Amino acid sequence: MLVVLQGLFLGAGLSSFALGVLLPSMSADLGWSLATLVGANSIGSIASSLASPPLGGLIDRRGARGLLTVTTLLTGLSVALCGLVREPWQFYLLFGIIPGLCRGGMMNVAPSALIAQWFLKKRSLAFSIVAVGPPLAGLVFPPVTAALLAWFDWRGSWFAWGGFTMLLALGPLLLVRRRPEDMGLLPDGESSPAADAGPPAGGAGGRTARDDDWTFREALRSAGFWVVAASMALVMLMPAALLLCLFSFYRDLGFSEAAAAGLLSAAYSIQLVARLGFWGPLAVRLGTVRWLAPLWGALMLASTLFFMAVNSELLAYASVVVFGVAMGGSMVVHLQIWPEYFGRRSVGSITGLGSLLWGVSSAAGPLIGAAVLDQTGNYRLLFAIVSSLVGFGVVLLVFMGRPVRPWRTPAPA
């Protein structure tokens, strides 16, 4: 769990929070527009989504140890080299493409695959613990990056984060093992084969772990799988489209730069508290995301609609609370839904394919937000468009049910 938490923490921190703090200094020093710099992040999202399916298959075949070690090292090296960039294409390569490809393994497929292999009965609890990685990064990375920027400059800050990331590559190398069965163990630390006979976490309906083990081909040909992937991508369009514009939205409401930044920091704090105090315990209590996912989607939709109603300081603070609570469920649901619905056998490949649509959503969201604001400057129109798409995703989450695995036809004797 420690290695999974580390990957989520680093992936979120480097791709979003460190860049957000260093953007103004890089723009002023290099003479690049903010759009040019942010473009590297969109390229990274696309690279991550394209890399997720093959990396998931690699994890299924070879395990996550070597992959996580290599991706963490490559991420650290490329981030460190960002301190040397002189041209936009260099930044797109070193911050966008290379870390993006690595992020497909670190954040998308490895967490679901590792937790699914090592936990069955305690899977919900394990996912709830590792899901604190991204909001924890939101609390740690901005102040540490600001301190590095004050001590050195933006180039020295990239060097420091890159070196720290490469050092953490020792974690996967030393700690990760493929499957408990490869070591003569069973999931959840059980020592008796009988312990594996019960239903997996979220295994309502009396299914056993073997009954739930879909193959990659079965998922690929299942309409249920694509409905799950589409619903997750649509709901996750909300943070992708809105996070980059919320600072300017609050500024337009009359908040100072410091106050607007404080509102966003408060949102990440609330997200962490909600994930630990509400979503995690609820996931453990329910033992399934079957009904947790629609609740999360409904709160994401409510948060987007709430932004449309904000016209005062009081409502601005209230919007931060609703947004933070809603975002607290994102990683809990996203990590758990794939192994719960499709089992352990091909969880890396299946999670990778599902993450492909999520990556497209993550890349398209900022472009949708920028296009609407560039053309109209109307935040409420943007919120309305995003609400309609998220609402469709919520409808899918409510009515899709658990995907039904196709029956295999026995081969003729």
Side-chain angles (χ1 to χ4, degrees), residues 145-288:
T145 306
L148 291 172
L149 189 60
W151 292 335
F152 308 109
D153 57 9
W154 65 267
R155 295 185 185 275
S157 299
W158 285 127
F159 290 144
W161 277 126
F164 176 72
T165 301
M166 285 188 282
L167 180 63
L168 290 182
L170 293 174
L173 182 62
L174 297 175
L175 299 177
V176 172
R177 298 295 183 270
R178 184 179 178 183
R179 291 164 55 95
E181 290 86 348
D182 297 337
M183 302 173 63
L185 302 174
L186 291 175
D188 302 307
E190 301 283 358
S191 57
S192 170
D196 199 32
R207 294 185 179 192
T208 65
R210 181 173 296 177
D211 293 331
D212 278 342
D213 279 342
W214 293 45
T215 66
F216 178 71
R217 289 182 178 272
E218 286 173 338
L220 187 64
R221 297 173 180 175
S222 166
F225 166 80
W226 293 106
V227 171
V228 173
S231 64
M232 296 294 294
L234 285 168
V235 175
M236 288 303 293
L237 187 69
M238 184 271 245
L242 301 188
L243 275 176
L244 290 178
C245 73
L246 286 181
F247 179 82
S248 56
F249 171 63
Y250 289 129
R251 289 283 288 125
D252 284 1
L253 288 174
F255 287 89
S256 67
E257 290 187 359
L263 284 171
L264 294 182
S265 295
Y268 290 116
S269 300
I270 294 169
Q271 179 183 347
L272 179 59
V273 172
R275 190 162 290 177
L276 288 173
F278 175 69
W279 292 106
L282 184 60
V284 173
R285 184 176 182 84
L286 294 177
T288 177

